Amino acid sequence: MAEDSDGRHDAASEGPPWDGLQSAVRRVGGGESEGGEFTRVDDDEQPSAEASEPELLPEDRHQTATPRDHEAGGPTAATQPTPGGVAAGASSDPDAASGGIGMDAPESDEEAPLGEHIEEMVTRLGIVVAIAALVSIVVFPVTKPLITWMWNYVLPGGEAIDPRVYQPLELIITQVKVASLAGLVVALPAFVYESYVFMRPGLYRNERRYYLASVPTSLVLSVVGVLFAFFIVLPYTMGYFQSYTEPTADVAFALGTTFNLLLLVMGYLAVVFQIPLFIMLAIMLGVTTREWLESRRLLFWGAFAGIAFTFSAIDPTGIVPVIVAITMVVLFEGTLALLRWTGN
């Protein structure tokens, strides 16, 4: 092996011609066949690379070739540097390799302490409760004529069956409950929106569109659920109760007890009618799939029946729990059928 005047070995005489590469060490003592010491050549002593030569990668991002690469004739495509100085197939985001947010997370997503998440969640829930309370206060002054209209429509005997008041505050408490139902109807879409704001930093742009579109949809479904309960479920239910009692006793409906049942059914169905929205949103966000829901439909039917029969405490006849359970199953299966028909 020949040695030049600076002590560097000329590698061109043997081995592959690595043109343009400089030795990183040089001999400082001894001859070519003798032992000696070597020293590292400083960066300022090495000549600068030509502009036409490829740019070398920094040490912390250098991809070392494996013995298999040399056997195949060079580095594999996965470790070859790209024009930007990054190996092909490697992530251009250092956070992706270090367990950070990486390229798969939304740009606005960032880590935060658990305490901040809990505090923000409590704040969002407080906003929902405040909206419900505000709506209830606004509706309260018109609850008396609203109670009279609801009573005359739902009760099959009309004005002939007057409500009975058995407690001093029974009328006022019933007014508060009616106003609270209005607050619940408005609070449901408010809850959907506040949950969207809470999860917005972790959502992609298309997922944000889904959530924003679900806010007015939630309001519409809430109103439909209340109307379905008031115009269809409750008249049938109250007629059944009256026919069940009349052969044995004179019917005297208490105002508070009767409205407890009316408002509970309407509020419950306002929430039940959110089932299609929850299913569509879960599928759009990739939480579940239609096939997964269909394969476990019997489990959902059992859960619906168990939830619906919580009404047995106020309706021992079982007519209301059966109607609510059937409604939940129909909404569940109807949503899946719609998704199947549209190919989603």
Side-chain angles (χ1 to χ4, degrees):
M1 180 181 296
E3 181 176 308
D4 58 16
S5 59
D6 292 336
R8 296 186 176 88
H9 295 287
D10 185 6
S13 60
E14 58 182 14
W18 299 99
D19 296 335
L21 297 181
Q22 303 295 331
S23 174
V25 296
R26 68 180 177 180
R27 188 188 302 274
V28 295
E32 178 178 349
S33 60
E34 299 176 0
E37 297 181 356
F38 293 86
T39 183
R40 182 188 178 104
V41 179
D42 296 335
D43 294 337
D44 55 358
E45 297 182 22
Q46 296 193 23
S48 58
E50 296 294 333
S52 59
E53 295 180 358
E55 180 182 357
L56 297 179
L57 295 177
E59 289 184 6
D60 57 345
R61 300 172 73 177
H62 181 68
Q63 301 292 329
T64 305
T66 62
R68 181 177 298 179
D69 296 332
H70 291 294
E71 294 175 2
T76 61
T79 59
Q80 290 180 352
T82 60
V86 181
S91 174
S92 60
D93 189 356
D95 289 337
S98 60
I101 295 174
M103 297 299 293
D104 293 332
E107 296 179 357
S108 58
D109 192 12
E110 58 182 13
E111 296 182 2
L114 179 61
E116 293 185 10
H117 287 301
I118 296 177
E119 181 179 358
E120 182 181 2
M121 181 178 64
V122 173
T123 302
R124 299 295 174 191
L125 291 177
I127 293 175
V128 174
V129 174
I131 292 175
L134 180 61
V135 173
S136 300
I137 293 173
V138 172
V139 174
F140 183 82
V142 299
T143 51
K144 279 188 178 181
L146 185 59
I147 288 173
T148 302
W149 176 75
M150 293 174 63
W151 185 277
N152 292 334
Y153 182 84
V154 172
L155 271 296
E159 297 180 0
I161 302 179
D162 296 328
R164 304 298 196 272
V165 177
Y166 296 101
Q167 297 177 4
L169 299 178
E170 190 170 351
L171 177 59
I172 296 178
I173 294 175
T174 303
Q175 289 181 263
V176 172
K177 292 177 180 178
V178 172
S180 300
L181 176 63
L184 173 66
V185 172
V186 178
L188 283 174
F191 174 77
V192 175
Y193 176 76
E194 292 300 329
S195 64
Y196 158 75
V197 176
F198 177 73
M199 295 187 293
R200 186 180 186 276
L203 299 175
Y204 290 101
R205 187 170 302 174
N206 61 329
E207 295 173 340
R208 295 173 184 175
R209 290 198 300 267
Y210 297 151
Y211 243 109
L212 287 178
S214 67
V215 175
T217 305
S218 176
L219 179 59
V220 172
L221 292 175
S222 300
V223 174
V224 172
V226 170
L227 296 178
F228 173 76
F230 183 75
F231 289 104
I232 298 177
V233 177
L234 288 175
Y236 174 79
T237 302
M238 300 308 295
Y240 172 78
F241 287 163
Q242 189 174 8
S243 64
Y244 189 86
T245 308
E246 277 182 346
T248 58
D250 294 333
V251 180
F253 289 99
L255 177 67
T257 305
T258 302
F259 262 89
N260 284 344
L261 177 62
L262 301 184
L263 298 177
L264 187 59
V265 172
M266 287 190 289
Y268 210 89
L269 286 176
V271 177
V272 165
F273 267 73
Q274 306 295 312
I275 290 177
L277 177 62
F278 293 153
I279 293 175
M280 299 281 286
L281 199 58
I283 292 178
M284 289 178 179
L285 296 179
V287 177
T288 185
T289 61
R290 176 180 57 83
E291 292 80 5
W292 187 88
L293 294 174
E294 288 178 338
S295 64
R296 292 163 176 80
R297 54 165 39 97
L298 293 180
L299 296 178
F300 283 96
W301 290 8
F304 294 154
I307 294 172
F309 272 88
T310 56
F311 278 102
S312 59
I314 60 174
D315 176 23
T317 64
I319 185 65
V320 174
V322 170
I323 293 176
V324 173
I326 292 175
T327 303
M328 297 174 78
V329 171
V330 170
L331 290 172
F332 178 80
E333 292 297 332
T335 304
L336 296 182
L338 178 63
L339 292 173
R340 193 184 311 110
W341 181 65
T342 57
N344 295 322

